């Protein structure tokens, strides 16, 4: 199940990026499970990665390669996360990179590896290496949607977004894909996002763009509060549009907006496809003393199993929302100043139910697929929004049956 | 569903404590939902209460009354939590206390109110006040088990424990009851625990006893990570055994052990009866730099929806345990030094699956109702254990249907 239509608009190719997809039979025979991004010479890549201490082998190798060389290939497999695999996992990730480098006449550090799927099983490197010639043979500028399908695991639908920006008669394109449905509480990145632009952007600005965009998109979503071992989000700038973007320019502001919008679309698509999701929920906190406080309250509400099961039941059980706010660890919170809205319906204020509130009004909002829980802490000027889902029978089923 | 037989041994009366139960029809007609504890003159009471900022009205009133007078009555209702009820809730809690004081010729502050049930609905004080004469008429020293039933909400079975201690030919008794199945992550107490002893203990020592006992029992359990607005745990010492216990004595050590054992039994009974629980799980962390670090890791694992659904499926998905440890926020964690056992089966070490591990050995442990996840962080001497349950379809059902 997923929330909303999941419509994907036209996916504009990005000059300098070709994508090849192949089937290596990693988990299921015939499934497209290997995706290769080819990045034109002169492209720059920047990324953000999981902060999980048990980060997966490909994350470690990708960070090391990124420090050594300018990436020319991103190699992604689904069906196996190559996480919790110790030294063997590192060697397996390196072997896949070396094999792709051999086939293309490059050095291994120009290849960045990414894996997603089950944790703790050895990566079937032979199968992946055997699939590489087919993926290279299939390279095309038009394969964004196929790539979005090729990196899915428990996702029920592909996630992709494309936007264009006009500047002095030229066009800059930003196109990206993402995946993820469970083990979703990205910390500095999510599993997985790949975005490309044909703008010409220097390395420092590129890193700033990807960091800011990930911070306000992938780092503001949670399905189950579990940070993945494999989160990674990459942004490449090929420069092929011929438009150079310098830091501090008006154009930089426009490009930043466009990239942020693409990232946010990709991140919200992950929430809408959250495991077992029947609701898409924004938790918007304002009136906090600082951003950390706002985030703490927003995540405590967004991850409360009691709030999430009430959402699943379309039950405006605002007492559970108050209880979650109350345990969020805000020092000296004055509950008399806290108010809570469901969309535009005031449900609680002054420590209790709002006088104007009726169960009917609350229930009407809760019946919707898209719901905003708006919380005003009444103690400052800071605010933050995070996006999440409800908790359903299907969430339990999907995660109880995942390895069976 | 609940885990284990739930056997309750003999419940020894505590001299100086009588209990009366009545039916006020708060949520369901005919349900025993009002419990009155009568404490003999000269008894001392100490308690610990929820740290939730949205604490319920009875918690606020109980704390205020406790500061003013020595409690002679504990008045407990189920079916309505009187939480999120603002000023009206405070006034309702006070009115119930005043009514009981009127009937017994005492002052209102000698009555401590406690409520459990649905949050955010006005307390039906008329119904409760009408039931008080019946409860007083039923006062008896033998009603502990009935009281344990009388304070249940989504609990499927009563929770009670009794132990005795012999000292120089005299007997000291410690008997208690608890309730709770969901919204369970007590913070300094749980909803609800009532323990009595006939030892003679001064107020300072009594507070120390209840604080320590709650800290290592109710404050070490979690069902869903949601701290209740109504948590309260009380310990009364009536002195009627004629045995005086002074701080620092050998007898104090023995009494402390007995009280701790009763508290731990009552707390673990809550986990075994956790909403939808099919497993009773200890998460034991050692090798931490300090207790806070050990608790952080233990709770992150115990509250991970992915770990909990794997437990429900009896799936030894140790990768999810590693991922939870990795996101617990331990600075500079060296994953190469971390090891994880399921009971006595080593499942992971050096950042990956243990060489000796087989899925069969892991699956054999996971099939049990009682499982210990033992984690060694390999960086210090501190350790902590918390107890939790799995996440099942029934958890979702119970919490989605709670108000319907």
């Amino acid at each position: 199940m997923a929330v909303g239509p999941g419509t994907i608009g036209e996916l504009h190719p990005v000059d300098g990026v070709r994508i090849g997809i192949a089937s290596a039979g990693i988990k299921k025979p015939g499934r497209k499970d290997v995706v290769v991004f080819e990045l034109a010479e002169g492209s720059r890549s920047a990324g953000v990665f999981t902060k999980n201490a048990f980060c997966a082998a490909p994350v470690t190798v990708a960070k090391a390669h990124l420090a050594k060389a300018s990436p020319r290939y991103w190699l992604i497999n689904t069906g196996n996360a190559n996480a919790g695999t110790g030294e063997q996992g590192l060697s397996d990730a390196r072997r896949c990179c070396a094999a792709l480098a051999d086939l293309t006449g490059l050095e291994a550090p120009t290849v960045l590896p990414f894996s997603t799927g089950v944790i703790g099983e050895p990566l079937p490197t032979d199968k992946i290496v055997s699939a590489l010639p087919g993926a290279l043979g299939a390279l095309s500028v038009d394969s964004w949607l196929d790539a979005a399908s090729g990196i899915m695991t428990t996702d029920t639908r592909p996630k992709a977004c494309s936007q264009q920006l006009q500047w002095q008669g030229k066009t800059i394109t930003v196109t990206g894909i993402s995946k993820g449905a469970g083990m979703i509480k990205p910390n500095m990145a999510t599993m997985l996002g790949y975005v490309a632009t044909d703008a010409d952007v220097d390395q420092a600005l590129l890193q700033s763009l990807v960091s800011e965009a990930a911070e306000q998109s992938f780092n503001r979503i949670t399905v189950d509060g579990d940070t993945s071992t494999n989160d990674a989000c990459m942004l490449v700038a090929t420069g092929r549009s011929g438009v150079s973007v310098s830091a501090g320019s008006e154009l930089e502001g426009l490009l930043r907006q466009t990239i942020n919008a693409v990232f946010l679309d990709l991140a919200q698509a992950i929430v809408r496809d959250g495991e077992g999701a029947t609701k898409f929920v924004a938790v918007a906190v304002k009136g906090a003393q600082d951003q950390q406080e706002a985030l703490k309250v927003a995540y405590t509400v967004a991850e409360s199993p009691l709030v999430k099961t009430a959402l699943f039941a379309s039950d405006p059980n605002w007492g559970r929302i108050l209880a979650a706010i109350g345990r969020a660890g805000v020092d000296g919170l004055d509950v008399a100043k806290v108010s809570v809205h469901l969309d535009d319906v005031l449900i609680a204020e002054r420590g209790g139910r709002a006088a104007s509130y009726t169960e009917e009004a609350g229930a009407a909002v809760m019946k919707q697929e898209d719901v905003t829980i708006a919380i005003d802490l009444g103690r400052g000027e800071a605010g933050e929004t995070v996006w999440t889902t409800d908790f359903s029978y299907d969430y339990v089923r999907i995660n109880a049956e995942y390895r069976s």
Side-chain angles (χ1 to χ4, degrees), chain A:
Chain A
M1 199 175 313
V3 186
T7 317
I8 295 173
E10 187 184 354
L11 297 176
H12 308 286
V14 177
D15 194 5
V17 175
R18 295 197 303 164
I19 304 172
I21 298 118
S23 177
I26 294 172
K27 197 173 177 189
K28 290 178 191 155
R31 164 104 169 68
K32 303 279 188 188
D33 51 14
V34 168
V35 175
V36 172
F37 277 76
E38 179 199 65
L39 315 175
E41 197 164 359
S43 296
R44 297 187 185 92
S45 288
V48 283
F49 298 91
T50 183
K51 290 282 171 74
N52 193 309
F54 276 98
C55 75
V59 170
T60 303
V61 173
K63 288 199 279 191
H65 284 190
L66 202 49
K68 280 188 199 160
S70 219
R72 295 293 306 285
Y73 289 95
W74 296 340
L75 168 57
I76 309 153
N77 73 270
T78 183
N80 183 307
N82 193 10
T85 45
E87 282 300 323
Q88 183 63 42
L90 293 169
S91 145
D92 287 345
R94 289 191 199 103
R95 183 173 166 231
C96 292
C97 294
L100 184 54
D102 279 351
L103 288 168
T104 55
L106 296 166
E107 297 297 315
T110 64
V111 181
L112 302 187
F114 304 92
S115 297
T116 176
V118 68
I119 295 177
E121 294 183 4
L123 190 70
T125 49
D126 288 346
K127 289 182 178 175
I128 294 171
V129 168
S130 302
L132 293 179
L136 290 174
L139 285 171
S140 154
V141 298
D142 292 318
S143 297
W144 283 93
L145 190 56
D146 288 344
S149 299
I151 60 174
M152 286 164 55
T153 52
T154 56
D155 306 61
T156 68
R157 58 195 194 191
K159 297 154 188 75
C161 178
S162 187
Q163 292 202 16
Q164 290 186 319
L165 165 66
Q166 309 301 324
W167 181 258
Q168 295 176 347
K170 291 191 174 171
T171 300
I172 295 178
T173 298
V174 180
T175 300
I177 60 173
S178 66
K179 72 132 312 228
M183 202 176 260
I184 297 292
K185 183 185 181 177
N187 183 1
M188 297 308 127
T190 193
M191 173 68 177
L192 301 160
Y194 301 97
V195 179
T197 178
D198 50 10
D200 181 11
V201 182
D202 72 30
Q203 190 66 37
L205 179 54
L206 194 66
Q207 186 64 53
S208 147
L209 289 170
V210 72
S211 297
E212 176 185 304
E215 180 64 19
Q216 62 179 37
S217 57
F218 296 118
N219 285 350
R220 292 294 179 273
I221 64 175
T222 179
V223 169
D224 45 23
D226 273 301
T227 302
S228 164
T229 50
N230 290 53
D231 288 347
C233 174
M234 299 299 303
L235 173 64
V236 62
T238 65
R240 294 297 181 93
S241 66
V243 185
S244 181
V245 181
S246 54
S249 65
E250 182 190 350
L251 179 55
E252 188 223 314
L254 295 172
L255 180 62
R256 197 176 278 274
Q257 277 178 31
T258 307
I259 289 173
N260 287 353
V262 169
F263 271 64
L264 190 60
D265 183 282
L266 294 174
Q268 293 187 344
I270 288 175
V271 176
R272 287 186 180 278
D273 197 21
E275 288 169 348
T278 74
K279 292 253 190 306
F280 176 80
V281 184
V283 182
V285 175
K286 67 177 183 179
Q289 287 186 346
D290 54 45
Q291 285 185 298
Q292 279 315 107
E293 185 173 289
L295 281 176
K296 198 158 60 171
V297 172
Y299 273 117
T300 304
V301 172
E303 291 172 357
S304 159
L306 290 173
V307 171
K308 291 166 97 81
T309 48
L311 285 162
F312 171 56
S314 296
D315 174 8
N317 191 330
W318 52 269
R320 294 182 181 175
I321 299 171
L322 291 193
I325 297 168
R327 73 173 166 90
V330 175
D331 281 340
L333 180 67
D334 180 355
V335 301
K337 291 188 178 158
V338 176
S339 68
V340 181
H341 285 76
L342 285 179
D343 283 5
D344 55 356
V345 176
L346 176 65
I347 56 173
E349 63 180 344
R350 287 193 279 276
R353 177 160 53 188
S356 59
Y357 175 70
T358 64
E359 282 279 318
E360 292 65 38
V365 175
M366 290 294 267
K367 282 210 186 82
Q368 302 165 182
E369 281 192 336
D370 286 32
V371 175
T372 295
I373 299 172
I375 298 161
D376 188 343
L377 298 178
R379 53 195 258 125
E381 300 300 319
E384 283 283 353
T385 298
V386 306
W387 293 272
T388 192
T389 59
D390 56 332
F391 238 159
S392 67
Y393 295 114
D394 273 355
Y395 178 85
V396 177
R397 182 186 56 73
I398 291 163
N399 283 296
E401 294 174 358
Y402 182 53
R403 302 208 310 172
S404 60

